[in-house]
């Protein structure tokens, strides 16, 4: 380990202003999905609520949600739409503890002990800043070693661009704990598996006769099979990303959108059901990689805490979040919407996957041979 | 009228190869939502199917769908997921009539009599090409005069960017026949109506205290009211885009996505239900304007025929489609996915709305005074 | 005047650390164009040098230069290449006065009294932030009224995009104190004046027969006339930007680049001569507008102080700098290279010119009628 | 060799219309640098001029120039500014041979035997199209083997982005026949060599104390040494791109621009002198790679023929031109300005260099071991 790492230090609860803070207040929701006035709106940072004289961290932290206290004492961060009439919802606007709720921002953003694992890089996003693939590879590798769950969120450009084989490699080597995407990623991947094309374009980029209908034919074939898993089982699909996920038992969520053709069996066409399934993954995620998707990156960014929670506060650590896009725009948008910890890589999805794989292979070799981290 | 317009000329059905073409073939679907092998996949161009010795145009044309023949003779273009077991689905891959189905591509794309109303402009999309706002304004104005339905598809940047007041102006003056968008457009607009901010940023671009939660409070207030219409009726919402739509009885569809907070009442969180509602609009649309949205523009582009259908073939005319975005990328993507007729305007949404309104005001003045089109 | 403005407050020279600072040190250059080791490299912020017991501001401030003290006591900010052997060059690396040189950064960047006239806007650059054209128009109008010199730096896209007529309007109305650009701006403008095309494309965007050679023919015609002024005088050029500059006696500099065809007579093909001519303008500039040019914007940005100098320190004021480009990239690059005061407008050049003119017209009307600023 | 290659076929000069074409006409220039009316403006495609009953290809083809016939019969393509009074300049506007000049466009653009070596890829430029690095590597490798001259045209982002080491590798391995760039590339490279930073940012992207002046100090150090070559010889510069060029005797041209600080010794600050030096290289170039530069890419694109000339027409072949940029814009601009043969790679400069090197290494290994091209 050559990189000095972040050590989270919880706030001092005995010193003012926390030492003298009042208990947090809760009010009952008056109708299903309707919050009391003055509800406390959550962030993705470590948050402490004073209940029964103690400061506690609500479970399943994320932004743009509320904190509900259940009869059994459970403190949960939950979407407003899930609040039921009578549920006790935390109220207050102050984040400094003066109303019994404390958001520990300086523990993660800025300050001498920034939570950014990449703090030795500039945080600004630019195509002109160097990308430290060596560190990215090391962080991803170590996450696998410590048994974390790396969630990959991918857009269809990744399939177009033949980074498909590299993503399969990452799946097979255990670097993908879960995959989140949409109908299009799976459609393009399955079209490639069945017909050797994506959107009617061969792997060398040439159009093929009748190509514009091939993605429809791929969808129809999988619908006939009944499910993606069945299509793999029956031998209709013998290669590709979905094949790798199914055969390696890696969980995935395909969330529906209004752009979808089909959709494929297994796609959650209800966006609220999709959000729930996605959050089932993000609640367990300890690492995140977003490649070539604006919609899914921002959706997942909204759900993802900035930190990996832990029973002992000292073990709380930043949730490394890498966002890859062709332009600075998506990364900046992600950060504008609160995912401050996102580390931006401004490049082509194909090249990112290729170079990252190359560095992870080198990291594996160095690991095996016991030698220090390659530079 | 200074601009020579497109005149559609149907193909000669008596001449070869159409004169000697066989009847189209149909096969029954063997299960709900599963198509027969070799189904014919539609495009967005005028399409003729030979049935009972006559060439007929199926109703409700759009791309990536199939053609179903009902017992009563009705020929319908429909989504594969809506096909029921036993439905008769057109099969064949040829588009030249040799299998009884003819796609009249040259009638609309290329050729001496191109369907592009903007054929005097280069079709290439670039920030460096001049935008002929005078012609855009004239086309929009004439569409209103002939009683067409202009569908506007808008992204949230339009609200951020204070083009909001210009869009309200277009709604009030009758230039918006229907509006399609997502939860975010409405949330930002309602936040602005209730709190005077969008995503916590004032209209001059400054952040306000506690701003990050204001969109959540706006959503909650409308949820408490029960619907956007109720929020307008109760006086909670007194200004804005949604207010203008409701008070002027302009239909709208808010389609859900996985990025949504809330969602607002009225948002169709099921993407298939949203597609159906959107298509209810696009099937009647005669003009389309897409501003600052990739997801919705491509979704609507997929649904939109390239032409306005008519009982008499000679009256078929191109469906003018304008796509405004900050970069060439979205417009090119739209065209890559088959919406070839899209005319791209590469600019900032705020400025587009401002300049277009200015030209439409001039067009109205010229119209009133009986003078020719301003240049 | 509705906008509270910036008031510069010079540092307190009597208090520590300035009160006890040593005199600045100077060392002689040992060869032409070669600086002594440890030379002080300038910024574009107000800078004070302690000489003869007094703190003085060197003349003609700009970044990436050195400070030379002449025998007559003159303190000049000058390019290293202009330093002659024996010239006395200020040395030192500290900017806090501890070596006799003080850069007054907090007077202009950040702090409660930021120098940014647009401080009520976010300083971040984004296509999604609203542009306050009302304030831009007011600032430009007031600058004309107080007799300032507004330098416009423009790229050829402005001519392509038919914002040409708007720029002519600004020239004719006295809003352009000087124009800086390259060969291409003038070539496109003169091609339009002579042939009605730019790069062989008509004003509606259509290609014309033999169009690719028209810019060469335009250059040849002006070369035959001998100068742009002669071409205007002889009636070869009767319209356009160059015509307006010549007939309104507005100074301009056309700087050469390796991309140039021709070049036109009057283009300074030597880049050092061009830099000198440009700096002759920027040294007098009190306002700057950059439209659709990366090369020239960054070149001028390097030369431009962040402030308008004044005999009395209290009258020092920020030099309003507006940078218009289609993407965030150029504006961010400009700021990365030290032109922190640049206010970015992310839009199409044509639309910017159109909307700005519209707001300036409204400002003029309000001014005339004595009414307050339009909103 | 797995890729079928282009075979140029000269036009049939005996068949009409060429067989009956008149001789080309020439007119004398009436003043230095002023062309006769109706001069023929060249393209970058193979061009034949009928002189003395024979069709001949003028030497040193490029676009936006004229064809001059000298007393000794030499036919030269030359810049208009170099034409002297009395020189005989070809006149005519027709490119079809009817005035004695024939541009063989269909031999290179479109048609069944397109000149694009990458004709199996779509010619459209998009971040979503796959890049065939295997073929790029093979083409570059074969060019080295046949003794061609690959000209690399690079922007400063390549140095920022630590692709510096990869470019050094290409220089050392003989893949760089000449390098064209500006002052900034060399300044950043030399700053890195002397201080370990670029624009004051370390190789991991961190700012260093006093960093903003380091590029000025690097320039000063090299100016003191007298030349880049002397700085290498004296040991001031021991690593980097310029070091590799000097020590491997690879010719380079550093062209000046108005953005330049310094400039460095050896930079051609006169843009016409720089153009002449650059054309000295492009006239011999047989392959071109443009990375991360708009100004230089377009300048060189203007100078570069679309083909590699040869004594025997049958040996004429396309001049492979690869243009790498972060956005589609630069590549499209290059093609809009006539460099139709440019093959666009839309990615980050750092990643391009890294992946290309990786594929070239694999190509070398395959070459050595005698095995076929790796896929």
């Amino acid at each position: 380990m050559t990189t000095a790492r972040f050590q989270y230090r919880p706030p001092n609860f005995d010193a003012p202003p926390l030492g003298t803070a009042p208990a947090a207040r809760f009010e009952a929701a008056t109708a299903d999905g309707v919050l009391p006035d003055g509800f406390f709106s959550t962030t993705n940072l470590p948050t402490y609520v004073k209940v029964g004289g103690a400061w506690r961290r609500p479970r399943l932290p994320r932004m743009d949600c509320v904190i509900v206290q259940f009869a059994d004492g459970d403190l949960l961060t939950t979407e407003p739409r899930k609040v039921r009439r009578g549920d006790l919802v935390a109220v207050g606007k102050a984040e400094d503890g003066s109303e019994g709720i404390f958001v520990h921002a300086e523990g993660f953003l800025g300050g001498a002990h920034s939570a950014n694992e990449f703090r030795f890089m500039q945080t600004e996003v630019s195509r002109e800043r160097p990308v430290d693939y060596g560190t990215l590879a090391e962080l991803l590798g170590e996450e696998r070693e410590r048994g974390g769950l790396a969630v990959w969120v991918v857009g269809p450009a990744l399939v177009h661009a033949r980074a498909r084989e590299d993503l399969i490699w990452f799946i097979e080597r255990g670097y993908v704990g879960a995959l989140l995407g949409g109908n299009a990623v799976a459609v393009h991947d399955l079209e490639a598996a069945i017909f050797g094309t994506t959107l009617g374009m061969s792997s060398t980029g040439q159009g093929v006769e009748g190509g514009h209908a091939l993605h429809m034919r791929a969808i129809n074939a999988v619908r006939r099979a009944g499910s993606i898993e069945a299509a793999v089982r029956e031998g209709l699909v013998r290669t590709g990303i979905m094949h790798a996920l199914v055969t390696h038992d890696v969980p995935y969520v395909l969330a529906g959108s209004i752009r979808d053709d089909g959709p494929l069996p297994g796609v959650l066409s209800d966006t609220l059901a999709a959000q729930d399934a996605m959050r089932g993954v993000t609640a367990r995620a300890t690492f995140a990689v977003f490649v070539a998707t604006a919609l899914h990156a921002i959706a997942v960014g909204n759900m993802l805490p900035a930190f990996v929670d832990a029973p002992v506060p000292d073990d709380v650590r930043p949730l490394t979040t890498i966002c890859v896009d062709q332009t600075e725009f998506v990364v900046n948008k992600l950060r504008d919407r609160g995912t401050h910890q996102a580390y931006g890589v401004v490049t082509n999805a194909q090249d990112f996957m290729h170079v990252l794989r190359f560095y992870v292979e080198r990291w594996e070799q160095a690991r095996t041979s016991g030698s220090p981290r390659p530079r």
Side-chain angles (χ1 to χ4, degrees), chain A residues 225-239:
Chain A
S227 70
I228 294 172
E229 285 69 20
V232 170
R233 209 162 44 230
E234 295 173 5
L236 174 67
V237 171
R238 295 172 188 275
T239 60

Side-chain angles (χ1 to χ4, degrees), chain A residues 190 218-234 236-237 242 246 252 264-267:
Chain A
L190 294 167
I219 292 168
N220 195 49
V222 178
R223 286 175 76 105
R224 179 177 292 131
S227 70
I228 294 172
E229 285 69 20
V232 170
R233 209 162 44 230
E234 295 173 5
L236 174 67
V237 171
M242 299 313 298
V246 168
Y252 64 89
L264 286 167
V267 168

Side-chain angles (χ1 to χ4, degrees), chain A residues 340-357:
Chain A
H340 305 287
Q341 81 273 18
Y343 173 70
V345 179
V346 181
T347 191
N348 183 294
Q350 173 183 30
D351 290 341
F352 171 80
M353 295 298 286
H354 217 76
V355 179
L356 182 64
R357 171 180 168 175

Side-chain angles (χ1 to χ4, degrees), chain A residues 138-171:
Chain A
E138 185 185 15
L139 289 169
L140 181 60
E142 289 176 2
E143 197 65 33
R144 188 186 64 168
E145 290 197 347
R146 67 156 71 104
L149 187 144
V151 57
W152 290 62
V153 185
V154 302
L158 198 135
V159 186
H160 283 201
R162 287 200 306 182
R164 191 174 171 242
E165 288 174 35
D166 292 315
L167 180 52
I168 294 167
W169 184 89
F170 282 109
I171 295 169

Side-chain angles (χ1 to χ4, degrees), chain A residues 39-51:
Chain A
F39 64 89
F40 181 84
S41 186
T42 61
T43 75
N44 57 3
L45 299 169
T47 299
Y48 296 85
V49 180
K50 193 163 182 182
V51 179

Side-chain angles (χ1 to χ4, degrees), chain A residues 264-296:
Chain A
L264 286 167
V267 168
L268 297 169
S269 60
D270 184 84
T271 52
L272 303 182
Q275 284 184 343
D276 290 349
M278 291 162 74
R279 193 156 179 231
V281 170
T282 60
R284 296 180 296 122
T286 62
F287 198 95
V289 187
F290 303 165
V291 188
T293 167
L295 173 65
H296 292 263

Side-chain angles (χ1 to χ4, degrees), chain A residues 5-196:
Chain A
R5 289 298 162 78
F6 171 79
Q7 173 60 55
Y8 178 68
R9 297 189 200 290
N12 183 346
F13 295 112
D14 299 326
L18 300 188
T20 57
R25 287 185 305 115
F26 291 84
E27 290 184 14
T30 54
D32 285 2
V34 179
L35 304 169
D37 274 338
F39 64 89
F40 181 84
S41 186
T42 61
T43 75
N44 57 3
L45 299 169
T47 299
Y48 296 85
V49 180
K50 193 163 182 182
V51 179
W55 289 96
R56 294 167 49 197
R57 288 205 305 284
R59 288 193 303 119
L60 304 185
R62 60 158 289 188
M63 72 170 79
D64 291 339
C65 279
V66 290
I67 298 166
V68 174
Q69 183 178 26
F70 291 99
D72 62 0
D74 191 19
L75 274 180
L76 187 73
T77 311
T78 197
E79 289 83 356
R81 65 181 161 87
K82 299 199 154 180
V83 169
R84 296 278 75 83
R85 187 179 169 208
D87 279 353
L88 292 174
V89 178
V91 295
K93 293 187 183 172
E95 300 182 346
D96 62 357
S98 62
E99 299 184 67
I101 306 177
F102 180 67
V103 178
H104 198 191
E106 78 274 27
F108 268 72
L109 306 173
H113 56 300
S114 160
N116 191 345
E117 292 269 354
F118 299 99
R119 67 195 170 287
F120 49 89
M121 299 180 186
Q122 295 287 342
T123 52
E124 263 179 72
V125 177
S126 167
R127 64 193 73 170
E128 293 194 346
R129 291 195 185 275
V131 175
D132 188 338
Y133 281 101
T135 299
L136 293 181
E138 185 185 15
L139 289 169
L140 181 60
E142 289 176 2
E143 197 65 33
R144 188 186 64 168
E145 290 197 347
R146 67 156 71 104
L149 187 144
V151 57
W152 290 62
V153 185
V154 302
L158 198 135
V159 186
H160 283 201
R162 287 200 306 182
R164 191 174 171 242
E165 288 174 35
D166 292 315
L167 180 52
I168 294 167
W169 184 89
F170 282 109
I171 295 169
E172 292 176 342
R173 302 285 294 175
Y175 292 106
V176 178
L179 186 134
L180 305 182
N183 185 65
V185 167
V187 167
H188 294 339
D189 177 63
L190 294 167
E191 180 189 335
I194 299 173
F195 297 111

